Amino acid sequence: MTSTTSTTTSTSTATTTTFSSGPGVIPIVAKEGGRGAATASEQALTQGLSLGAPPARPTGGHYMTKGGIQVTANVEPLEFSPSSTSAGTSGKALEDLVTQLDERKGVLLASSYEFPGRYARWSLGFVDPPIQISGKGGKCTIQTLNKRGNILMAPLEQQMQKLKHEGIVQDINVFTQVNKEDNTDDIERVELTIVPPPSVGSFPEEQRSRQPSLFSIVRSIVDAFSYQGGDRQLGLYGAFGYDLTYQFEPIELKQERDPEQRDLLLYLPDSILVVDQDKRDAWKISYDFCAKGRSTQGLPRKGTAEPFQPFDENTQNDSFEARDTPRNEFATSVEKAKREFAVGNLFEAVLSQTFREKLSDQQKPSRLFRRLRARNPAPYGFFINLGEQEYMVGASPEMFVRCQTTEDNDYRPGAIRVESCPISGTVARGADALEDAQRVKSLMMNSKEESELTMCTDVDRNDKSRICEPGSVQVIGRRQIEMYSRLIHTVDHVEGYLRSGFDALDAFLCHTWAVTVTGAPKTWAIEFVEENERSPRCWYGGAVGIIGFDGGLNTGLTLRTVRIKQGVAEVRAGATLLYDSNPVAEELETELKASAMIDAIVREGPEDSAEPRVIEKKDIAKVGQGKSVVLIDHEDSFVHTLGNYLRQTGAEVRTLRSGPSALATIESMMNSGEKPDMVVLSPGPGNPTDFALSTTMEFLINHRIPGFGVCLGLQGMVEYFGGTLGVLSYPMHGKPSHVSLTLEGKSDGSIFTSLPESFDVARYHSLHGLKDKMPSCLAITALSEDGVVMGIRHKELPYAAVQFHPESILTSPANGMAILGNVLFHLRYEDEVPDEEEVN
């Protein structure tokens, strides 16, 4: 009898018990305790949260903004048909927009990833906006991009004069052009110089986001266009560069910046395509504006086209570098970071490196976006034409900051909810769902990966606590799994509610930039990044998204992004470093993260066209093609899965319940010229004598039919050839085990050919063949880590068996199928030569 030791620890809310039995200590899953907090999904339903998606299709109409601008919205319904190329459908409109972005300024935001309570699927986009806001450092430019923009420049210039009066803007330069139609001066451009922010320590830290910066300009524009009762889609769309963090946290710059690089680029659109995949609805909203007695009504919605220019080998080749960090130097920087961790200067840091590819005239940004959209679905997909031959194409997995006004909350009606989802902890995807599960388990058990995310979330909570209601900052999702095309991440979900007097832009600024792209303590980590990376980050580590005129905000971190500038595609990828980081592994992680983006640049695919994809099925030659297999069922619960695997090899499989009738049926098949090529002995309960397996084995040998056994089948072979069975001290039912191949198992003609020398398998047995009493005619081909025989083969006859289950979910399907393929290929009598086609 196995001894059992019970240890119980009681608290006010739960009881935890462990039992010591068999090979180790087994934790008992808690079956009682608290009722649990509401999930993010339940909370979203209760509060009517949008999850970033557009609200239901609006009806259009008129409304007045706070700045006295009358807005008229006209809504044109579209047929929801994602794969259609017919006029008037969402699919056609969306693909036309993607194509237009190659040469026209604009933005497409596309969420193609769902997560309960977090993300929905939708797309918002436009081209030819009337207004552009750009900035760098303390300089900002507001400019019109067409005649419609001229109508809006007067009220915008008026807003800037207010900022100058308030002491936020230092200088304003207004550039005009004579309107020949009415001989008036139209404002074309307003250039602003922002006053330097006051010295640190002269203002409360809670007010840091209110100090003069580029965001003072943005806040003033949002204030002018803010409204009640609008459609919640009008706003400023675009990109926020990494260097914006220096407006919130002044740090000495060490790297030389491109004087033409912008820190901020936002568009104000006047026509927006909206596709809501979840609601299966689509529409286009067209806006007209009336300000100071002038209207955009009737003016053309057109901008200036600037076709994409590929890399010019004649003029650019000398300056091209394939990567900004020479190979192995990234690992050297990791070592430097570890020294900072050791003395307490840093807790974690995120270093990155850039990889570059030249683009031909066939590698247009639209083509890269289509590839990325198909191959890497993400909650923050985007395609932005920034002008000046600069584009951004991305598939970011991480929310930066999202804000939404809520009526149902614990603080006050209309309080702004702010949320973010820090990502840290990464493992590569497996070959299938079963291998994914194993990798998720390894990720969840990894203390280094857990520490990474813990630090990120603690810093994120601190960012929110600066401006949120006391007690409102809560972790509503902890170490949740998000799966992407090549990677699996652990993700936390954090929310808070802004105190009165703060808005979405305060929330945005207080998080610049996320600790997942900088480190902790954040200020020192940003300094370390500036000193140790090989080039400025430009847009990487910043954000993309929308600042809504309704007071909301939805932004994603600029990760998994291809930045295109003058025909060169740049991919930047980083790794989160801790004291226990492995320098070589961290460098490899950056290369893995970059690989999906580089794949979209260099690998062609059916996604390259705007036409619907046609998936062709490949005809794969199968080793079991033309073979006949009889599967003898020993009353097992897994026999039909085993049969399914055998059929996947191409073999014709007939399952017979064990007993004299089964053998008689096989004999009848032989008499009619249908001798089976293989008989498989299934698993089953009990022991071999319960099913007269020795009689079956004798039948197979007498009729020269090769045989393969699984679990009970192995035990029957061992007994038939003179071996002895034993009983495990601890039954292995549905348990994983690591098995290793012996020299015999690695030999030519083994059923383990092409498999790794060790791998994980599923065990369902108590009986086993005793290794020290194995008959001399049987070779042991595999052993478990506790020394139990897991595989055998006869040294002269075509019989082999495994003690584990190749068809279980705990055995990799790739390995299980490889074993069965080898069985059908290798197990045959010597005078039965395989067909030439089979060998090839």
Side-chain angles (χ1 to χ4, degrees), residues 104-418:
R104 312 189 85 85
K105 290 182 177 180
V107 174
L108 174 59
L109 304 177
S111 174
S112 54
Y113 183 88
E114 290 182 278
F115 194 98
R118 188 173 304 164
Y119 299 125
R121 296 179 301 136
W122 50 267
S123 299
L124 294 172
F126 58 86
V127 292
D128 295 332
I131 296 292
Q132 172 182 299
I133 301 104
S134 60
K136 181 179 178 66
K139 303 287 186 179
C140 182
T141 299
I142 305 172
Q143 67 186 86
T144 179
L145 298 179
N146 56 29
K147 289 185 177 181
R148 296 174 63 81
N150 294 136
I151 307 300
L152 294 172
M153 288 299 287
L156 290 176
E157 189 263 345
Q158 182 179 336
Q159 286 292 113
M160 298 307 104
Q161 295 293 349
K162 290 181 181 178
L163 290 182
K164 185 175 182 181
H165 179 74
E166 294 169 1
I168 295 175
V169 169
Q170 183 172 297
D171 292 312
I172 300 178
N173 292 315
V174 180
F175 298 84
T176 62
Q177 184 175 4
V178 176
N179 186 330
K180 296 180 181 180
E181 295 180 2
D182 56 11
N183 203 33
T184 59
D185 289 338
D186 281 343
I187 299 175
E188 295 285 326
R189 186 171 78 255
V190 176
E191 294 183 351
L192 309 161
T193 302
I194 302 161
V195 302
S199 58
V200 176
S202 64
F203 55 84
E205 281 299 306
E206 292 80 1
Q207 293 294 319
R208 183 180 285 269
S209 59
R210 291 286 167 148
Q211 304 313 304
S213 71
L214 283 173
F215 280 86
S216 303
I217 309 298
V218 174
R219 179 178 279 114
S220 179
I221 295 172
V222 171
D223 187 59
F225 279 88
S226 64
Y227 56 81
Q228 294 288 334
D231 53 54
R232 290 175 53 190
Q233 278 139 50
L234 192 59
L236 300 177
Y237 292 71
F240 308 85
Y242 178 81
D243 280 6
L244 285 174
T245 193
Y246 303 123
Q247 303 204 6
F248 187 75
E249 198 70 69
I251 288 173
E252 182 182 357
L253 301 183
K254 303 290 185 180
Q255 300 183 37
E256 183 179 352
R257 261 64 178 177
D258 179 354
E260 302 300 319
Q261 181 61 36
R262 297 159 289 181
D263 297 341
L264 175 77
L265 193 288
L266 298 173
Y267 295 126
L268 195 167
D270 60 1
S271 180
I272 304 175
L273 172 65
V274 183
V275 180
D276 190 330
Q277 283 92 336
D278 288 340
K279 298 185 182 73
R280 300 184 65 79
D281 198 5
W283 60 92
K284 184 176 182 179
I285 308 181
S286 299
Y287 299 96
D288 277 301
F289 306 98
C290 183
K292 296 188 177 298
R294 302 178 67 192
S295 173
T296 61
Q297 188 77 39
L299 295 177
R301 301 175 188 271
K302 291 184 178 179
T304 303
E306 184 184 359
F308 165 70
Q309 298 296 319
F311 183 83
D312 189 335
E313 293 281 357
N314 296 322
T315 62
Q316 295 176 260
N317 204 41
D318 291 343
S319 61
F320 179 80
E321 293 181 343
R323 54 195 295 169
D324 70 344
T325 307
R327 194 175 297 277
N328 299 325
E329 282 196 15
F330 187 89
T332 302
S333 297
V334 177
E335 293 285 7
K336 186 174 181 180
K338 293 180 69 168
R339 291 194 290 272
E340 297 296 317
F341 301 144
V343 296
N345 291 337
L346 296 172
F347 307 145
E348 68 176 340
V350 181
L351 290 181
S352 62
Q353 58 177 324
T354 297
F355 307 86
R356 301 185 180 94
E357 296 283 344
K358 303 173 184 177
L359 297 183
S360 69
D361 56 358
Q362 297 300 310
Q363 294 169 296
K364 293 182 179 180
S366 61
R367 179 163 290 185
L368 271 56
F369 173 77
R370 288 188 173 106
R371 292 174 183 174
L372 207 53
R373 177 180 59 183
R375 301 173 192 178
N376 300 274
Y380 290 94
F382 54 90
F383 179 11
I384 305 176
N385 183 331
L386 300 157
E388 302 176 13
Q389 287 298 307
E390 187 173 18
Y391 305 80
M392 291 171 65
V393 178
S396 175
E398 184 168 352
M399 181 193 302
F400 175 51
V401 174
R402 191 165 71 195
C403 295
Q404 182 176 343
T405 301
T406 62
E407 296 302 321
D408 182 10
N409 62 76
D410 294 335
Y411 303 96
R412 65 186 181 280
I416 296 176
R417 177 180 183 263
V418 55

Side-chain angles (χ1 to χ4, degrees), residues 739-742 745 752 759 779-784 788-792 804:
V739 303
S740 299
L741 303 183
T742 64
F752 299 114
F759 51 92
I780 297 173
T781 54
L783 292 167
S784 67
V788 175
V789 174
M790 287 286 112
I792 61 169
F804 57 86

Side-chain angles (χ1 to χ4, degrees), residues 422-455:
I423 290 180
S424 198
T426 303
V427 68
R429 287 289 301 271
D432 51 43
L434 305 181
E435 193 170 319
D436 278 343
Q438 290 296 322
R439 297 192 175 198
V440 167
K441 182 179 178 180
S442 70
L443 179 60
M444 295 300 289
M445 297 291 288
N446 189 298
S447 58
K448 185 258 185 186
E449 303 286 352
E450 182 179 8
S451 295
E452 283 185 16
L453 186 56
T454 297
M455 292 186 196

Side-chain angles (χ1 to χ4, degrees), residues 321-324 352-357 359 368 372 393 535 537 540 558-564 568-574 590-602:
E321 293 181 343
R323 54 195 295 169
D324 70 344
S352 62
Q353 58 177 324
T354 297
F355 307 86
R356 301 185 180 94
E357 296 283 344
L359 297 183
L368 271 56
L372 207 53
V393 178
S535 63
R537 289 187 167 188
Y540 173 81
T558 307
L559 304 172
R560 314 286 200 275
T561 298
V562 182
R563 177 205 180 213
I564 300 166
V568 176
E570 293 184 350
V571 176
R572 197 169 189 120
T590 65
E591 294 172 354
L592 173 64
K593 288 177 177 177
S595 65
M597 303 301 108
I598 295 173
D599 176 73
I601 298 170
V602 302

